Amino acid sequence: MSETQSNIFNKIENDYKDYGFRAKELAKEGKKLIGHVCSFVPLEIITAAGCLPFRVRGDIHEPITKGDALLETIVCPYYRSVFDLSVKGKYDFLSGLVIPHGCDSMVRSYSAWSYSLPYSYFHFLNIPTVCVESSFEFFNAELNTFRRSLEKFVGRTITDHDLVQAIRIYNETRDRVRALYNLRKIDPPLLSGKELTMALTVGSSLPVDEFNALLDQVLAEVDRRGQSHLKKGPRILIDGACIDNIELINLVEELGGHVVADTICNGARDYFPRTDEGGNPIEALGRRYLDKVNCPKTYRENKTGTFEGDIASRFGDIGTYAKEFKVNGAILYVYKYCDPFGFEVPARKAYYQSINVPLLHLEDVYSAGTMGQLRTRIQAFLEMIG
Amino acid sequence: MADEKKEVKPKKRMTATQAAASIGPMVKEFITGTLRARAEGKQKIAYTFIVCHHEEIFRAMDVVPVWTENFAGICGAKRDAERFLQRAESLGLSRSLCTYALCGIGFDQWREELGQMPPDAPWGGQVRPDFMISSGQILCDPRSKWYQASQQFMPDVPIYNIDLPYPLFQRDRDHRDVWDYYHQYIVKQLRGLVTFLEEQTKKKMDYDRLRELVDLSDRTWNLIEETYDLRKAVPCPMGTGDAMNTMVPINFMMATQQAYDFFVNLKKELEEKIAKGEGEVENEKYRLMWGGGLPAWFALTDFNYFNSKGASFPVETTYRMVAPLNQMDIPETKDPIEHLAWRWLGYWTFWYDKAKKRPGSEPDVERLINRIEEYKIDGVVMHEAFSCRTWHVGLIWQLHQLAKIYKPIPVFVTGKGGKKEKIYRELPSLILESDIIDITSYSEVDTKNKIDAFIETLESIRLNRAA
């Protein structure tokens, strides 16, 4: 590996460890950074307002302390960790925070966030639970309310042109991420799951143009690799919510597997759906965030009248990824206390069975303390499918 | 097999009012009523959830509601939920999820596997529905996931999911700026429900009947407020233990004459008790508020334990799912569907304006403060049910905010004649921990120890104030 080649991944690793390093610099320069959590927040509107979206992260190594004085322990453990870091001041450089109706943990803790943190801007974005004509109308109105509240905060109008520009640039990010994923279709993959997850995690803390430049550098470097430096091993799809710490993926890869595909929030769920260009930008954003982001929080009607038809419709993206990325097995990784994903476990299990993909279901608590137990179970699974 | 075993029959809770004592047979009747309706086959039967403001539509269309949360609560109260919870776990559902839903899904799976009710099903069991009406509200994820999960075992049973949002409280915003489009959306969702029910029942909605039922509900709402306000009396004639029974007509029987009549009788009973000076407890020493959390249905006798220490519960926030309509700032309309949507928004935003006026307050906190003052409350008790985020996340924070107002030190206020007065506004709180129906989370000894320690604190404050 040449010096230039290693430099980009060294930089990513450093930025991953010192998450928010660049954002803090920008905040010092007077930029307004708006924190967000969950895939339902339309980053295009934040960017169009001249602010920088910043995804607040948790830390599986950090014991939850201050957060527990204000929030119940029955909250989603990932979200608890993010809240704990926030009240400890890790994200005090932010100017604001947007919380969507992603799950009960987000809705019910909104007051605790908005009264406990020193940000001058808070916004709650209501997301419909169904995808029907009236819910798109409602969601578009909610997006416009969000737009107006940001306009008031920054003191300028967000034009349709601003939105169109932002949509274009985020679509460019998504195209680049898709190109990175494609590099994992090769066996063994040209890019490890750990490398990709670190890059995407770091990217969610950067201005979108810097993220695009970073992705270009990663693509160029992997291109220079020519062939994979990895050994062949079981090809794994990770199915779940937000996994913004690399330990789980690292574990799979240390044990000889390769994470080649996923459905996670800071992965395919966020980056695969593009926003339609050329029409009304708010309507296009409404369509993308409500319909195209495939989150279990959104209820999708069973139009087939059969269970098999229902799961094929709800989880069809998994089957597509399994084929495209030639996966040998999947890990369904669900956080304890996560109602949206938790209630889907039996149906997801049935779906994996229907497409003949072996599945390991893990329930976890977003803590480094469980990695030992997970190692044993993942090792056994990889041996079984290997 | 472990799931064949039933648990030990629980002790019955003693009630303070005749009205509360009459609830058990009433609930049993509407469970057996659903079984009867299934056998007769004349009416359609629907699974559904409470607090959706859709009862009037159901009843106008002669659809029989099966309140699935209610059935799970009955399993819990009868200490017969464990075998259904274990069924759900065996399917891959985590015990950390809503245990009402787990109980319901476990029951459904078992019933569908057998093709008949599971053995010794509580009160005859939960009947197979013709369709299911779920609800993607802003406050409960399991409501839109539960029936979808149950559909795995009965894919022929269709679901209609009503989305019922409301604008979340934001200190620096006026909810009225957005509620027109919220209202339009809710109206469309409710009209969609009407269309769905018309398709399922092959009948047309009778809007005159619907209007009458909405009017009946509105009158019942106001009557409930008047009735519960009587509990401000000292001594308090009816406590939260009883209110966990009288929640039945509020939540499961709205839009029926029976619910209205129930509160006419309860109001009369409370007025008589007040006239005689009869309290929930003989010598009322402490007035407590049930400040949040669903109860542990298998341990309602804990209220009797509080009572045995001289503690009464004049007020609770749980299950008081009504607010005075005459104090709601909602537009007049002759369209019953539009009215239901306004009432929905009026209910959920009821405390918003008041909360904005008090620094550090928030609607849930504001409601607590108002209840504390109106009902002369000495302490707050909450219950954290581990499996339910909907009603339980945020309670710790609410107590945290309350503690900023009710400080454990004497506070000087400007009293009559502009003179400074020293007052004690200390308000101790107790958080009980277990679950709504999962009895494995509960320890009677620990709970009683916590209650004892709390009562000692209340007593010491009482003595300090007296001194």
Side-chain angles (χ1 to χ4, degrees), chain B residues 181-195:
Chain B
Y181 71 77
Y182 272 74
H183 181 257
Q184 281 169 22
Y185 180 41
I186 295 164
V187 166
K188 284 182 182 174
Q189 289 287 303
L190 291 175
R191 292 204 201 287
L193 172 64
V194 172
T195 306

Side-chain angles (χ1 to χ4, degrees), chain B residues 294-433:
Chain B
L294 305 180
W297 288 110
F298 45 79
L300 290 177
T301 50
D302 287 345
F303 285 108
N304 289 151
Y305 190 70
F306 274 106
N307 295 158
S308 74
K309 307 279 174 185
S312 179
F313 282 87
V315 67
E316 61 287 322
T317 52
T318 307
Y319 290 128
R320 188 166 170 169
M321 306 308 293
V322 296
L325 284 157
N326 54 6
Q327 291 175 37
M328 279 181 201
D329 179 21
I330 54 175
E332 287 283 326
T333 171
K334 286 186 179 157
D335 182 330
I337 299 280
E338 292 210 352
H339 178 74
L340 289 174
W342 281 126
R343 195 180 70 191
W344 172 261
L345 289 168
Y347 173 75
W348 288 105
T349 59
F350 187 74
W351 296 98
Y352 284 21
D353 288 337
K354 275 194 167 185
K356 273 182 201 153
K357 289 178 189 155
R358 194 192 306 265
S361 190
E362 181 262 8
D364 287 334
V365 176
E366 191 60 30
R367 182 173 53 167
L368 292 175
I369 294 168
N370 276 263
R371 301 290 193 227
I372 287 163
E373 299 301 326
E374 288 169 5
Y375 288 80
K376 302 184 182 69
I377 294 301
D378 301 308
V380 179
V381 179
M382 290 182 170
H383 177 231
E384 290 278 8
F386 79 85
S387 72
C388 171
R389 276 142 290 288
T390 303
W391 294 110
H392 304 86
V393 171
L395 296 181
I396 292 175
W397 179 79
Q398 289 166 29
L399 284 179
H400 183 266
Q401 294 302 98
L402 265 192
K404 292 178 181 172
I405 293 164
Y406 298 98
K407 297 184 171 124
I409 49 168
V411 175
F412 289 93
V413 295
T414 309
K416 283 178 188 166
K419 283 187 182 171
K420 272 195 174 178
E421 283 177 11
K422 189 163 83 166
I423 61 159
Y424 291 89
R425 292 168 66 90
E426 182 172 6
L427 192 84
S429 58
L430 168 67
I431 297 181
L432 299 172
E433 288 173 295

Side-chain angles (χ1 to χ4, degrees), chain B residues 30 48-50 54-55 59 65-71 252:
Chain B
F30 59 70
T48 197
F49 298 110
I50 63 168
H54 64 347
E55 295 97 326
R59 301 204 192 278
V66 174
W67 308 103
T68 49
E69 291 152 316
N70 175 231
F71 184 73
F252 306 123

